[in-house]
């Protein structure tokens, strides 16, 4: 089964390599450049995992995460924060809001793929286990 | 009782007694006579009634004249003699008695005057001796006060009730501002509560902390907090205890430093660093992700590869820009450990030229000089480094004459040292920059470059500088320009005052609690605001308005001339020419001044917790009361009137004008008919009246008010 990934970032120069990377690894990818766009994309695209930047125009990454977690339909959607803040307190805030993992910019492509695969596989295992 | 009334009482009693005696004698004789004799007398009286009545009237007139004579020749002069003798030995030893009366009383007055001469001489000798004895200790106190006054940090010393015992000029500036407007609208002054200016909870918390430290015998006994100052400034405040010999807290010292700029710099630096870090992380993420994708997928198509290369290129450029921005922002806020002093650039140039002409023996010709630009430098090292550079350049380029100019270019202040002839190469300049500064016998352990860095100065040379006089070679040294408002308050040289400066009073430590019943306060201990108003006329009911308010404070028996309130008021009506003649204020002078509605609330704060003192206070108070409804400001302070108090101590005198009282009590009258000038004279008169009142057993505010109310002039209403 092809997993669906939503990349939410307003910076095209990071979105382009990420999208390429995900596609090369066999994921189905959609991109959103703002918090509002991401919410629309989540309802339409129903992603398995969201790569969510924190600093977004309009609704920020924290708020998107909160909205996703409050919606029971999207309960199983995995969220990985992409953060350029790099401060423990920012990361802790993201985790408290219900993110599954975080990646601090700059990151290695291998690291991000490993984290995504790990989360999605766990998800599969959970589903199979049920 | 008024002197006139005394006379009539005396006359009435004398006439009554005389008639009582005569009637008594008459009755006695009447009873001794036989009935026939009585009939003869009655007939005689009836037939000669006119003569008898005339004799009685003449008798009455003779008694009246005798009483008037006795009163004016003996009794009234005696009463004045007592009053004026009291003035001599209490308020004004230079006062001499001048009386008209009986020869005996005039002789007695002369005798008292001669004794007064001796008394005055004696008092002068004692004063001189005690002044000599106190001179040394006063000098030490004044040195301390002068140093405190000029400290760059604010110092406020308070007793345990929070009342200010000492403060310096910087404290006034930091807490209240140079225009006397604090955030809380409070004033700073001796005896005033510091809690009007600094949040009480902060101080109480600091004192609790200090108390705990003392009890725990901690090595440090101090507590710090940050509070707001005048004009949205932030003051880092350190509270330090004042302990008595038993190690009990008797007061505290607040040491304050303005950290507004430092906090703004640090905050801006943090924001800058944080946003820079985020931008760098973002760009690096793009570059790393793109390059890893290229490396991981070497078979990617040319279009994809092109996009990734362009991402890497763009992000690398962004990265450089971010780093440049960070570098500049850092350099702008580079904290320097050298204290840089603001100074006029022209002063620095003149100092350099003055020294250079002595050291280098080359003439300097001044051309265009911008006299308005300020810089911030360490002047000694800067002058020495500039001198060294000029000296080196003279040798390198064999210069025989310099042309100097000073101007601004962008944000920089430029010192141009120009010459005609051989240019200085950039390599020679770099070499110069790396040399240790040394000229004549003076040297620094620093290179020119290091001195430049500390003073944020740049150096540059040109062989083709176009000027009005033609093309010249130039050595340009430039510093970041400062706005005049950046420059901190000019420091004046401390001057030792002749008498104890008025901004401290250690005696206040021994004051009783802050708010006892005011009427029970001793006259010598109460705090007073002595004030006066100038008005457009003398009839408040007919629409005359206040045109200026002046006030000074009296704390612990000292008139604090520096703690003044001096405000011209726009009366919002025409000023009659007759009143302008009195106070000198005309329409042009009141234009742009605040209206009474703005002035009275400030004045009300200025007088809070004090007893008001004015001359003919009924008039001034009426002026203030008429504004109560409009301004919502009510003056409920107790009021003392120097006119009434003068009447209390000198009932035999008729004239109680400011001039007359001042003359009697030996107060010099300066600056009359300005509100502040009159307030100061009134204050000095009041201080002289206090010992005279105490002599009469009037020791408290309540006594003084009660005695005033009984005087004749207290009946005056406006």
């Amino acid at each position: 089964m092809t997993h669906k990934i939503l990349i939410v970032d307003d910076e095209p120069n990071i979105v382009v390599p990420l999208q390429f990377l995900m596609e090369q690894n066999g994921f189905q990818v959609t991109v959103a450049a703002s918090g509002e766009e991401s919410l629309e994309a989540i309802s339409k695209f129903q992603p398995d995992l969201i790569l969510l930047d924190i600093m977004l125009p309009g609704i920020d990454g924290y708020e998107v995460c909160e909205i996703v977690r409050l919606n029971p339909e999207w309960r199983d959607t995995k969220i990985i924060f992409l953060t350029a803040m790099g401060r423990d307190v920012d990361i802790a805030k993201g985790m408290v809001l219900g993110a599954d993992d975080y990646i601090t910019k700059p990151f290695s492509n291998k690291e991000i793929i490993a984290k995504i695969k790990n989360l999605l596989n766990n998800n599969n295992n959970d589903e199979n286990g049920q | 009782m008024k002197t006139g009334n005394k006379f009539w009482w005396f006359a009435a009693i004398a006439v009554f007694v005389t008639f009582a005696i005569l009637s008594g004698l008459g009755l006695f004789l009447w009873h001794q006579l036989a009935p026939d004799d009585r009939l003869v007398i009655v007939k005689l009286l009836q037939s000669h009634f006119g003569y008898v009545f005339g004799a009685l009237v003449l008798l009455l007139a003779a008694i009246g004249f005798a009483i008037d004579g006795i009163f004016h020749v003996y009794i009234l002069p005696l009463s004045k003699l007592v009053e004026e003798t009291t003035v001599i030995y209490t308020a004004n030893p230079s006062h001499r008695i001048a009386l008209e009366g009986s020869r005996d009383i005039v002789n007695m007055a002369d005798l008292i005057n001669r004794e007064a001469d001796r008394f005055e001489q004696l008092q002068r000798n004692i004063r001189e001796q005690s002044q000599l004895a106190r001179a040394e200790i006063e000098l030490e106190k004044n040195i301390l006060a002068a140093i405190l006054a000029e400290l760059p940090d604010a110092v406020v010393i308070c007793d345990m009730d929070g009342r200010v015992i000492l403060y310096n000029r910087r404290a006034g500036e930091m807490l209240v501002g140079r225009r006397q407007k604090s955030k809380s609208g409070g004033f700073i002054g001796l005896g005033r509560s510091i809690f009007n200016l600094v949040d009480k909870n902060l101080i109480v918390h600091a004192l609790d902390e200090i108390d705990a430290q003392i009890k725990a015998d901690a090595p440090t006994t101090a507590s710090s907090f940050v509070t707001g100052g005048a004009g949205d400034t932030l003051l880092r405040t350190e509270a330090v205890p004042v302990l008595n010999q038993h190690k009990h807290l008797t007061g505290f010292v607040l040491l304050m430093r303005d950290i507004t700029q430092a906090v703004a710099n640090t905050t801006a630096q943090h924001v800058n660093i944080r946003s820079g870090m985020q931008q760098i992380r973002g760009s690096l993420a793009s570059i790393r992700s793109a390059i890893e994708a290229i490396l991981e997928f070497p078979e990617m198509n040319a279009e994809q590869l092109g996009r990734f290369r362009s991402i890497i290129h763009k992000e690398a450029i962004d990265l450089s820009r971010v780093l440049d921005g960070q570098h500049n922002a850092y350099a702008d806020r580079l904290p320097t450990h050298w204290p840089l002093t603001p100074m006029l650039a022209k002063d620095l140039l003149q100092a350099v030229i003055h020294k250079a002409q002595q050291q280098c023996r080359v003439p300097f010709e001044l051309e265009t000089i911008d006299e308005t630009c300020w810089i911030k430098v360490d002047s000694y090292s800067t002058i020495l480094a500039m001198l060294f550079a000029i000296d080196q350049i003279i040798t390198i380029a064999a210069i025989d004459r310099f042309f100097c100019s000073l101007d601004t270019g962008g944000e920089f202040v430029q010192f141009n040292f120009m010459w005609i002839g051989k240019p200085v190469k950039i390599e020679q300049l770099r070499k110069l920059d790396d040399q240790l500064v040394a000229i004549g016998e003076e040297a620094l352990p620093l290179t020119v470059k290091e001195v430049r860095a500390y003073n944020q100065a740049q150096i540059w040379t040109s062989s083709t500088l176009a000027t009005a006089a033609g093309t010249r070679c130039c050595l340009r040294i430039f510093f970041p320009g400062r706005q005049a408002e950046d420059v901190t308050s000019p420091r004046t040289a401390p001057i030792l005052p002749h008498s104890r400066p008025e901004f401290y009073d250690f005696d206040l430590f021994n004051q009783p609690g802050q708010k006892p019943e005011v009427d029970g306060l001793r006259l010598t201990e109460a705090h007073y605001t002595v004030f006066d108003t100038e008005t457009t006329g003398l009839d408040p009911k007919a629409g005359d308005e206040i045109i200026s308010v002046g006030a000074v404070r009296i704390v612990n028996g000292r008139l604090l001339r520096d703690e003044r309130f001096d405000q011209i008021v726009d009366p919002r009506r025409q000023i009659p020419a007759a009143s302008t003649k009195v106070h000198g204020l005309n329409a042009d002078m009141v234009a742009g001044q605040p209206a009474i509605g703005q002035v009275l609330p400030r004045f009300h704060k200025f007088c809070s917790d004090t007893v008001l003192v004015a001359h003919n206070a009924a008039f001034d108070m009426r002026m203030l009361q008429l504004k109560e409804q409009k301004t919502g400001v009510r003056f409920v302070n107790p009021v003392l009137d120097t006119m009434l108090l003068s009447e209390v101590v000198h009932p035999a005198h008729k004239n109680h004008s400011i001039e007359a009282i001042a003359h009697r009590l030996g107060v010099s009258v300066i600056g009359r008919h300005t509100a502040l000038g009159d307030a100061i004279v009134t204050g000095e008169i009041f201080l002289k009246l206090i010992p005279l009142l105490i002599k009469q057993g009037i020791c408290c505010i309540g006594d003084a008010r009660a005695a005033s109310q009984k005087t004749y002039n207290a009946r005056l209403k406006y």
Side-chain angles (χ1 to χ4, degrees), chain B residues 245-261:
Chain B
Q245 62 268 43
H246 307 297
K247 283 204 163 185
H248 291 148
L249 261 176
T250 57
F252 55 91
V253 184
L254 299 178
L255 302 163
M256 299 176 164
R257 175 162 288 190
D258 189 341
I259 54 162
T260 319
Q261 196 57 45

Side-chain angles (χ1 to χ4, degrees), chain B residues 517-588:
Chain B
E517 281 299 310
V518 182
D519 271 355
L521 268 180
R522 296 182 72 79
L523 286 172
T524 47
E525 288 170 352
H527 297 180
Y528 304 92
T529 301
V530 192
F531 78 104
D532 183 53
T533 59
E534 295 294 331
T535 56
T536 56
L538 297 174
D539 193 352
K541 280 185 214 152
D544 276 323
E545 295 282 350
I546 294 173
I547 200 167
S548 81
V549 183
V552 283
R553 288 172 12 101
I554 292 177
V555 175
N556 267 14
R558 284 202 298 141
L559 188 74
L560 308 178
R561 282 186 177 76
D562 287 343
E563 289 185 21
R564 57 175 60 177
F565 187 95
D566 189 11
Q567 181 66 58
I568 296 176
V569 183
D570 184 351
R572 304 276 161 95
R573 57 154 281 173
Q574 189 211 345
I575 305 169
S579 83
T580 298
K581 271 187 195 162
V582 177
H583 47 60
L585 293 171
N586 57 34
D588 290 344

Side-chain angles (χ1 to χ4, degrees), chain A residues 61-115:
Chain A
Y62 292 129
E63 284 177 81
V64 174
C65 179
E66 221 172 341
I67 293 166
V68 171
R69 283 291 169 256
L70 285 172
N71 189 332
E73 280 181 41
W74 301 336
R75 194 169 54 96
D76 296 329
T77 310
K78 301 290 175 192
I79 296 176
I80 298 179
F81 268 126
L82 283 175
T83 169
M85 292 185 175
R87 288 201 317 168
D88 290 348
V89 62
D90 300 320
I91 293 160
K93 186 176 171 187
M95 300 308 279
V96 165
L97 287 171
D100 296 281
D101 210 339
Y102 67 89
I103 291 173
T104 311
K105 292 178 184 176
F107 45 80
S108 88
N109 288 355
K110 280 184 185 148
E111 182 193 356
I112 198 165
I113 293 295
K115 285 200 174 185

Side-chain angles (χ1 to χ4, degrees), chain B residues 198-214:
Chain B
V198 180
D199 186 353
K200 187 176 181 177
N201 295 329
L202 285 173
I203 295 179
V204 169
H205 177 74
L207 292 181
D208 286 348
E209 214 169 84
I210 287 169
D211 203 34
Q213 288 166 352
I214 293 169

Side-chain angles (χ1 to χ4, degrees), chain B residues 595-651:
Chain B
I596 195 71
Q598 293 161 272
V599 174
L600 283 193
R602 280 190 62 223
F603 181 57
H604 188 257
K605 282 205 166 160
F606 184 84
C607 342
S608 64
D609 295 331
T610 61
V611 176
L612 293 178
V613 177
H615 190 79
N616 192 7
F619 177 78
D620 298 285
M621 290 312 291
R622 184 76 187 130
M623 287 310 281
L624 297 181
Q625 277 159 5
L626 282 173
K627 295 288 157 209
E628 265 175 20
Q629 265 203 323
K630 193 174 162 192
T631 60
V633 175
R634 233 179 128 214
F635 289 83
V636 290
N637 316 43
V639 181
L640 292 179
D641 186 337
T642 46
M643 186 171 78
L644 305 186
L645 294 176
S646 166
E647 215 182 316
V648 169
V649 298
H650 296 145

